[in-house]
Amino acid sequence: MSSSLTRIPSDIPSDIHKVRIEKCHLTELSRGSFGGVNSLEYLWLNFNNITLMHMKSLEDLKGLKELRLQGNKLRSVPWTAFQDTPALRILDLKHNRLDVLPEHALKFLTNLTYLDLSFNQLTIISKEVFSNWPLYQRGHVLGGKTELISNVVLALHDNPWMCDCRLRGFVHFVKSVSPPIILMNSYLTCASPESRIGKFFHELELNNCIKPNTSTLLSNVTVQVGLNVTLVCTITASPTPLILWTYGIKIIKAYNVTTTVIDEETIRSELTIPVVHLSEAGIYNCLATNFLGNSTSSIILNVLSPRMGDPSMYSSYSLSPSSSSDENVYIDIRIAKQTVYGISLEWFAVTENPGETWYTIYFGKYDDKEKEVINIGPGIYTYSVNDLLPATKYEVCITLKSQPPRKGQCIVFMTGSDISELEQREKLIHIIVIVCAMVLAVPAGMYAFTTETRFNCIEKCIGLCRRKHKAQKNLKRDSTKESTFDSLQATSEDGLCQRECTEDNRRRRCSEDKLNKAKPENKNPAELY
């Protein structure tokens, strides 16, 4: 016990009756581990690190009566190995990692009086596991003559049981079990789904499993370009299926898909397209699948161009510059966090009608005239951008819906050089803040806040001007080294200082020099793969 033993000793005397090796470093039971130990009756291998058990590891142990493997790391057991141990009466497998119990697992355990499978990872097992057990069959046939068979204690508690239709037969077995089978703990509880967590088996009434069946209320939908549309699909299935929306051969990821559980077997899935473009017309498929099969329903989306609908629609969704906005709005955008190859944007907005205000994000490389256009619906104030390139300058702007970006409405940032070491990849993105605050139009009550922001920014920049020459020397010194977050940040502040210290720009907010005035092309916002 508690030794550095890593394998079963090969010199165990043949007349040994009991072997106990615990808290050692055994990792497997190989074939013929106990070859020649024909008298062995009790084998205790508790609390080792056994992960593998060979199907012939128990050969020559025909007299084995007790096998204890508690507290190991077994994920599966070669149940056919027990045909070499016909006298086995006690099998202890608790506190392992068993997650599957095959239908014929107990076929060769014909003389057991104790089987412990508690504290494992069993989620779903079939009733047939026990109905195929010779001990259960004999007790069922004999009926009241149970005195001819010894009682068998069965421990199945403390497993993460998934109480859906797949467990229906096993739940029925637990409810109806009677001598000679005796449950050590008959109060088995559910670990999932969420609606049944903590419920006892005797409280459940599970239905039969159902193959998915999808249906749609409308199979043909027509909408004008620029408006939003919601496609609805109803699914009947058990257990809960995996639901996917596809467009052609691609799975839709970027749109807003919501799932609502109507009852135990009915689910409603809704696909919302916030702003419909002509390129989004076509056939959308609602696919549901579970272990019994799958089902698909299609919805045809027709998109009317502005020429076919209201002529005023074109101007309302145009990207042409507008001199003023009908709605007073204050928007402050920032980069909330960075990921390995991307960033998360977050903005704060004060509008007159927040429940109806849409926003447009323009994103792309700083020098590109054409930026990606993403329309964001009301109540959403975050957006993630991924797959950024290293050592690249990017620009992101946010405006009211479909208004083109203007000076002072954007953030510019730059990615660092590509770092090969995996542990340093979180340092890939370096943020160069060009804008201190972004104000499109300030409603009443917001003047003091924005003024304070501007003065703080200018005061900071004036202080930086005094250190201008020192900062320039530092930049030269660091130019041959790989950029770090601190050095990039200093570069950003110095750039702000230079712009704010010039007479022409002293009264301007901290902003990027000039935005490219070319109109961005409105692209399909759906990220498909």
Side-chain angles (χ1 to χ4, degrees):
M1 298 185 66
S2 301
S3 75
S4 58
L5 193 67
T6 59
R7 62 184 183 89
I8 304 298
S10 58
D11 56 351
I12 299 177
S14 60
D15 58 348
I16 286 292
H17 287 268
K18 183 174 183 177
V19 170
R20 184 175 181 181
I21 303 173
E22 297 184 353
K23 299 181 181 179
C24 295
H25 296 280
L26 302 181
T27 58
E28 69 173 293
L29 296 181
S30 56
R31 180 169 187 171
S33 296
F34 300 94
V37 192
N38 300 324
S39 300
L40 191 62
E41 295 182 358
Y42 303 94
L43 178 57
W44 290 18
L45 300 173
N46 298 322
F47 307 108
N48 290 287
N49 292 306
I50 300 174
T51 59
L52 180 64
M53 180 178 175
H54 193 276
M55 63 182 302
K56 287 296 181 181
S57 58
L58 304 178
E59 62 181 352
D60 301 325
L61 298 183
K62 297 191 181 299
L64 188 65
K65 297 179 180 178
E66 187 173 321
L67 175 61
R68 295 186 180 270
L69 292 166
Q70 175 185 354
N72 283 281
K73 298 178 180 179
L74 290 167
R75 292 188 179 275
S76 62
V77 171
W79 298 97
T80 55
F82 298 115
Q83 61 185 330
D84 295 325
T85 59
L88 191 64
R89 299 182 66 82
I90 295 177
L91 177 58
D92 186 355
L93 293 168
K94 65 174 170 283
H95 285 289
N96 275 274
R97 301 176 182 179
L98 302 178
D99 56 5
V100 175
L101 206 59
E103 195 170 298
H104 295 280
L106 311 182
K107 180 179 179 180
F108 300 108
L109 299 171
T110 57
N111 291 302
L112 279 187
T113 58
Y114 179 81
L115 173 61
D116 196 337
L117 296 169
S118 61
F119 295 95
N120 276 276
Q121 297 299 315
L122 298 172
T123 56
I124 296 173
I125 61 176
S126 170
K127 177 183 178 181
E128 282 68 30
V129 172
F130 301 98
S131 62
N132 292 329
W133 193 8
L135 284 173
Y136 179 83
Q137 292 175 345
R138 276 185 284 169
H140 185 72
V141 171
L142 292 175
K145 301 179 180 179
T146 54
E147 67 278 359
L148 301 177
I149 303 177
S150 298
N151 288 333
V152 181
V153 176
L154 181 61
L156 295 167
H157 54 277
D158 288 284
N159 280 281
W161 299 114
M162 184 181 296
C163 297
D164 60 26
C165 64
R166 291 168 290 183
L167 208 64
R168 185 172 184 265
F170 176 65
V171 169
H172 182 266
F173 164 78
V174 171
K175 289 181 178 181
S176 61
V177 69
S178 60
I181 309 295
I182 300 174
L183 288 178
M184 178 182 289
N185 183 348
S186 60
Y187 290 95
L188 304 187
T189 58
C190 302
S192 63
E194 185 175 354
S195 60
R196 295 196 175 105
I197 293 177
K199 285 193 174 183
F200 295 111
F201 278 21
H202 63 264
E203 299 175 333
L204 299 178
E205 289 296 336
L206 301 178
N207 298 325
N208 290 322
C209 293
I210 302 174
K211 177 183 176 181
N213 180 37
T214 59
S215 61
T216 57
L217 183 62
L218 297 174
S219 60
N220 199 313
V221 178
T222 301
V223 65
Q224 290 179 326
V225 66
L227 299 181
N228 69 317
V229 64
T230 299
L231 308 180
V232 181
C233 176
T234 303
I235 304 101
T236 301
S238 184
T240 302
L242 171 67
I243 302 172
L244 298 173
W245 284 89
T246 63
Y247 179 78
I249 61 173
K250 299 178 181 179
I251 299 175
I252 299 174
K253 291 182 62 180
Y255 292 131
N256 184 21
V257 177
T258 58
T259 300
T260 305
V261 177
I262 306 301
D263 56 43
E264 185 177 342
E265 299 175 351
T266 308
I267 299 172
R268 183 174 66 247
S269 180
E270 298 181 351
L271 168 65
T272 300
I273 305 175
V275 180
V276 177
H277 300 276
L278 289 173
S279 59
E280 291 166 327
I283 299 175
Y284 290 78
N285 298 307
C286 171
L287 171 65
T289 179
N290 65 16
F291 77 100
L292 290 175
N294 59 73
S295 176
T296 304
S297 291
S298 299
I299 300 177
I300 301 174
L301 178 62
N302 305 296
V303 181
L304 299 179
S305 65
R307 296 175 183 176
M308 300 171 63
D310 185 359
S312 63
M313 184 182 301
Y314 183 80
S315 60
S316 65
Y317 293 95
S318 171
L319 294 181
S320 59
S322 58
S323 58
S324 63
S325 172
D326 295 333
E327 180 184 22
N328 287 331
V329 60
Y330 168 82
I331 302 178
D332 183 17
I333 184 174
R334 70 186 184 94
I335 297 174
K337 65 178 180 179
Q338 66 180 68
T339 57
V340 177
Y341 289 109
I343 60 170
S344 291
L345 299 172
E346 186 177 85
W347 62 92
F348 171 75
V350 177
T351 64
E352 293 180 353
N353 299 299
E356 300 177 2
T357 303
W358 287 68
Y359 305 95
T360 297
I361 295 176
Y362 300 90
F363 178 81
K365 295 181 181 178
Y366 178 75
D367 296 327
D368 287 353
K369 294 182 179 180
E370 296 181 355
K371 298 290 195 295
E372 182 178 1
V373 180
I374 305 102
N375 290 297
I376 303 295
I380 302 174
Y381 303 101
T382 61
Y383 187 78
S384 296
V385 179
N386 296 309
D387 300 325
L388 298 179
L389 299 175
T392 304
K393 190 176 182 181
Y394 287 96
E395 182 180 45
V396 58
C397 310
I398 183 168
T399 70
L400 290 182
K401 181 180 178 181
S402 300
Q403 290 186 2
R406 299 187 295 274
K407 180 178 293 188
Q409 299 178 359
C410 305
I411 281 182
V412 176
F413 65 93
M414 187 172 183
T415 58
S417 58
D418 196 7
I419 302 174
S420 58
E421 292 80 1
L422 182 61
E423 65 273 13
Q424 296 185 12
R425 287 194 180 275
E426 66 272 11
K427 300 178 182 179
L428 178 66
I429 308 300
H430 305 300
I431 307 306
I432 300 180
V433 179
I434 304 300
V435 182
C436 288
M438 185 176 78
V439 180
L440 302 184
V442 184
M446 290 301 299
Y447 177 78
F449 173 79
T450 55
T451 302
E452 181 182 357
T453 302
R454 178 198 182 304
F455 287 163
N456 288 341
C457 180
I458 294 176
E459 182 180 353
K460 182 179 180 181
C461 292
I462 292 175
L464 286 171
C465 285
R466 298 171 182 172
R467 302 194 297 272
K468 174 179 178 182
H469 297 293
K470 183 177 180 180
Q472 289 176 341
K473 291 180 181 180
N474 291 337
L475 289 176
K476 290 181 180 180
R477 182 183 60 195
D478 294 339
S479 61
T480 58
K481 299 180 181 179
E482 184 176 355
S483 297
T484 65
F485 180 84
D486 294 335
S487 65
L488 283 170
Q489 194 69 23
T491 304
S492 171
E493 293 172 345
D494 187 65
L496 284 172
C497 175
Q498 293 180 27
R499 286 192 292 275
E500 288 294 342
C501 287
T502 62
E503 187 63 29
D504 292 339
N505 294 332
R506 186 174 300 277
R507 295 184 178 180
R508 296 179 184 175
R509 299 175 53 257
C510 297
S511 62
E512 177 63 296
D513 289 336
K514 284 188 177 183
L515 291 173
N516 199 311
K517 295 182 179 180
K519 297 180 182 179
E521 180 182 353
N522 197 354
K523 295 163 61 179
N524 187 347
E527 297 174 4
L528 307 177
Y529 69 90

